[in-house]
Amino acid sequence: MKSNLLHTIASLSLVTLSAADSPTNCLLASNSLGEYNACCSGQVEGISEIDGIQFEYFCDSWWDPQAPAPVNTASARECAQLCYWDGACTGSTWVSRNGHCYLTTSSEDLQKKSYPPYSEGYMALRQRIGLSPPESACAPWINAAVANETTECANRLKPIQDARDVLERENQAYNTSLRHIQKERDGLNEANRNLSTALSQLQRQTEVLNQTSQELNGTNLFYKKLLDGEIGMTSNWREWARCPGADGKEITVQGVTYRQFCNQRLYSPNGFPRDNVILGYEDCIASCNDLPWCRGINFWTKWTRACFRFDYEGTYPLPKNFSEQVIAITPV
Ligand SMILES: *[C@@H]1O[C@H](CO)[C@@H](O)[C@H](O)[C@H]1NC(C)=O
Ligand SMILES: *[C@@H]1O[C@H](CO)[C@@H](O)[C@H](O)[C@H]1NC(C)=O
Ligand SMILES: *[C@@H]1O[C@H](CO)[C@@H](O)[C@H](O)[C@H]1NC(C)=O
Ligand SMILES: *[C@@H]1O[C@H](CO)[C@@H](O)[C@H](O)[C@H]1NC(C)=O
Ligand SMILES: *[C@@H]1O[C@H](CO)[C@@H](O)[C@H](O)[C@H]1NC(C)=O
Ligand SMILES: *[C@@H]1O[C@H](CO)[C@@H](O)[C@H](O)[C@H]1NC(C)=O
């Protein structure tokens, strides 16, 4: 965007003087009698600054029309300033020989006149108009331009700010709905986790119920076979009443502790049980105490010779089989 203000500043900078126009500062009050020589030796005209105001001078010349009577001044500088301070004065002529200063107040265009040798030592002086105005003169104009640009800038900025506000509000609304969705998602995730937890609990309960059911079915079948006479009512069938209460529990007989496993039998990868004898439940266990080779017992409740004793190392209980009413017994 090419701003009017920039344009303004650019035109102001065009006012700068070229090198040939460079002001000398020959109009110095302290140099009063030497001023003519300082300003006019080697040149017929020039520019000199007094307190920031530029004056142009022409050597050996006077302004026509001229004032009828001179005022006395101490210097060309004073003569130039008197004219500058006098609102009606358009130019002044200074005579270096006697300090006479002629202030021309005519509204006619000034004519520069020269009549050597009569005009020798004269200096025609006037303010240099239109160039390098004092900064203070420009200030209101610059301020107006700045204010104008500020308004212009604000006008251009407004739709952008409005658009930004709309986006900001949309962003807020988006954030809000995003937060709601995230909250819902978190809630669903939690509900999902709760459901999985509940599901695995149900699965565990189902497994337990399934196992209990199989166990009861097996036991039921066992008693049914007993009643039907398919199995003899041996001296040990009542021992099955220990299960499932005894399952996984320890039992201590004559100071030695064993663990019991319902519906599980011992298995030895090296061979069969060493023997089987007619003994009651606790007598069977007590017999294992007394035998140095005894590694464990299968107590089969449906047999009279219920007590099966193992002598192999590495003998272990197989997984549960609810069709088998056997109790595995191993030393702890
Ligand atoms: C102010 O702006 C208007 C339009 O942009 C322009 O026409 C006018 O010259 C400007 N005034 C100043 C003082 O810059
Ligand atoms: C929207 O959320 C983002 C990321 O959390 C944040 O940086 C931004 O400041 C938020 N905006 C608003 C308008 O709340
Ligand atoms: C998930 O379970 C916890 C603890 O049982 C409960 O406090 C919470 O309300 C449940 N969450 C959902 C979403 O059901
Ligand atoms: C019970 O468990 C057995 C063995 O683990 C399985 O084969 C059977 O399908 C299960 N039954 C039910 C109703 O879960
Ligand atoms: C237990 O027996 C009943 C009736 O015979 C049968 O319906 C059920 O499936 C059996 N349960 C298992 C776990 O085998
Ligand atoms: C469970 O025991 C019965 C009777 O001894 C047998 O027929 C069946 O094969 C056994 N089941 C398993 C899985 O070992």
Side-chain angles (χ1 to χ4, degrees):
M1 177 176 90
K2 185 161 193 296
S3 122
N4 287 339
L5 180 59
L6 288 182
H7 181 72
T8 297
I9 287 167
S11 351
L12 279 176
S13 66
L14 287 179
V15 172
T16 47
L17 302 166
S18 67
D21 282 342
S22 288
T24 64
N25 283 324
C26 60
L27 294 175
L28 296 167
S30 59
N31 194 23
S32 58
L33 283 178
E35 274 178 318
Y36 172 80
N37 289 336
C39 291
C40 294
S41 53
Q43 58 201 355
V44 295
E45 60 181 75
I47 298 157
S48 179
E49 251 181 32
I50 304 172
D51 296 338
I53 313 298
Q54 289 194 351
F55 292 87
E56 46 187 357
Y57 62 82
F58 304 91
C59 301
D60 304 324
S61 304
W62 72 89
W63 290 125
D64 183 35
Q66 204 173 38
V71 293
N72 287 320
T73 56
S75 62
R77 177 192 180 92
E78 193 184 334
C79 184
Q81 281 182 311
L82 280 178
C83 183
Y84 175 68
W85 289 327
D86 180 345
C89 180
T90 51
S92 56
T93 302
W94 188 65
V95 184
S96 60
R97 196 174 57 243
N98 53 20
H100 285 172
C101 177
Y102 295 89
L103 300 170
T104 301
T105 55
S106 165
S107 55
E108 293 175 44
D109 280 349
L110 290 181
Q111 301 288 321
K112 190 175 51 144
K113 294 283 166 90
S114 187
Y115 189 64
Y118 171 72
S119 58
E120 225 177 296
Y122 281 41
M123 285 175 82
L125 300 153
R126 69 173 171 192
Q127 190 193 349
R128 200 165 180 234
I129 303 294
L131 292 174
S132 65
E135 252 178 57
S136 59
C138 296
W141 191 60
I142 290 174
N143 289 344
V146 168
N148 204 13
E149 290 298 323
T150 305
T151 309
E152 171 81 6
C153 183
N155 288 344
R156 284 180 191 233
L157 209 53
K158 180 132 196 339
I160 296 171
Q161 283 172 331
D162 288 349
R164 189 202 54 190
D165 290 348
V166 167
L167 283 177
E168 185 85 348
R169 273 194 295 279
E170 279 176 3
N171 196 16
Q172 262 168 12
Y174 170 76
N175 274 6
T176 305
S177 62
L178 185 64
R179 272 197 299 280
H180 285 155
I181 289 169
Q182 284 171 337
K183 228 168 140 186
E184 270 173 35
R185 184 201 57 191
D186 292 348
L188 285 175
N189 280 347
E190 194 187 330
N192 202 14
R193 276 196 301 276
N194 283 1
L195 282 176
S196 331
T197 306
L199 187 61
S200 51
Q201 276 170 359
L202 279 176
Q203 281 170 340
R204 271 197 302 278
Q205 284 170 5
T206 304
E207 277 163 28
V208 169
L209 284 175
N210 187 6
Q211 186 170 321
T212 307
S213 172
Q214 288 179 51
E215 182 185 311
L216 287 174
N217 276 6
T219 300
N220 191 35
L221 196 62
F222 174 61
Y223 290 140
K224 191 167 179 294
K225 281 178 179 174
L226 279 174
L227 289 174
D228 290 352
E230 285 179 41
I231 299 170
M233 296 230 180
T234 67
S235 56
N236 292 316
W237 71 268
R238 290 174 196 279
E239 297 292 359
W240 188 245
R242 292 175 181 270
C243 283
D247 187 43
K249 302 271 167 56
E250 290 179 353
I251 183 170
T252 301
V253 177
Q254 293 173 3
V256 183
T257 303
Y258 293 79
R259 189 175 300 283
Q260 311 161 93
F261 303 90
C262 292
N263 298 102
Q264 280 174 273
R265 59 185 161 107
L266 291 185
Y267 172 75
S268 172
N270 300 317
F272 296 106
R274 177 154 169 165
D275 62 9
N276 60 322
V277 292
I278 304 175
L279 282 175
Y281 195 77
E282 297 210 2
D283 290 342
C284 174
I285 296 173
S287 78
C288 198
N289 288 353
D290 299 335
L291 297 170
W293 51 261
C294 184
R295 307 278 177 244
I297 297 160
N298 276 338
F299 195 90
W300 288 92
T301 55
K302 66 179 172 180
W303 304 119
T304 303
R305 302 176 76 88
C307 182
F308 287 68
R309 299 182 298 200
F310 283 77
D311 62 353
Y312 286 113
E313 291 283 352
T315 298
Y316 63 91
L318 288 174
K320 287 192 184 305
N321 182 336
F322 296 106
S323 302
E324 295 184 329
Q325 279 64 51
V326 59
I327 305 174
I329 304 161
T330 55
V332 174

